[in-house]
Amino acid sequence: MSTKGGTWVLLRLRYLSDIYLSKVTSHFAGDMLVMEEIGEVSEPTARKILEMGEVTPETLPALNLNELPDKDRKVIERAISGEWKALKVVRREKND
């Protein structure tokens, strides 16, 4: 799970009910699940989130934000400041 050649990115998943966007994308089955890239997190924080599978409002206390590095905590706080269903991390490979 090394980040050699890549970084860990935190994604916020939320449901979107936008009539205009639904028409443009021809999506009429209800809410769409949207993934928003929030920012990068360190590998230790990414490991914690990966072990949880995803972070939901119900499981957020298990992440224990006070034990995370300041930079990671700020990224997560930014992610949970808006409407959200879950947080996930993905590895982004560098294109060098």
Side-chain angles (χ1 to χ4, degrees):
M1 204 185 304
S2 174
T3 58
K4 288 183 181 178
T7 56
W8 291 100
V9 178
L10 182 73
L11 301 176
R12 172 173 53 196
L13 283 62
R14 67 183 180 98
Y15 284 110
L16 179 67
S17 292
D18 183 280
I19 294 171
Y20 174 75
L21 186 58
S22 294
K23 288 180 180 179
V24 169
T25 59
S26 298
H27 179 87
F28 297 103
D31 292 344
M32 293 181 289
L33 186 62
V34 177
M35 292 187 297
E36 301 170 295
E37 184 176 313
I38 302 301
E40 295 180 5
V41 294
S42 66
E43 184 169 356
T45 298
R47 285 179 185 259
K48 286 182 180 183
I49 294 171
L50 288 171
E51 287 173 6
M52 296 173 72
E54 66 182 13
V55 177
T56 65
E58 295 79 22
T59 63
L60 181 62
L63 190 56
N64 200 351
L65 296 179
N66 293 327
E67 293 181 357
L68 300 179
D70 284 341
K71 181 182 172 202
D72 293 347
R73 187 173 62 250
K74 287 178 182 176
V75 171
I76 292 170
E77 287 172 347
R78 191 169 50 237
I80 64 175
S81 67
E83 183 183 333
W84 63 290
K85 175 175 175 47
L87 304 177
K88 290 186 174 270
V89 290
V90 294
R91 185 171 169 196
R92 178 188 300 142
E93 299 294 329
K94 290 193 177 181
N95 295 328
D96 296 328

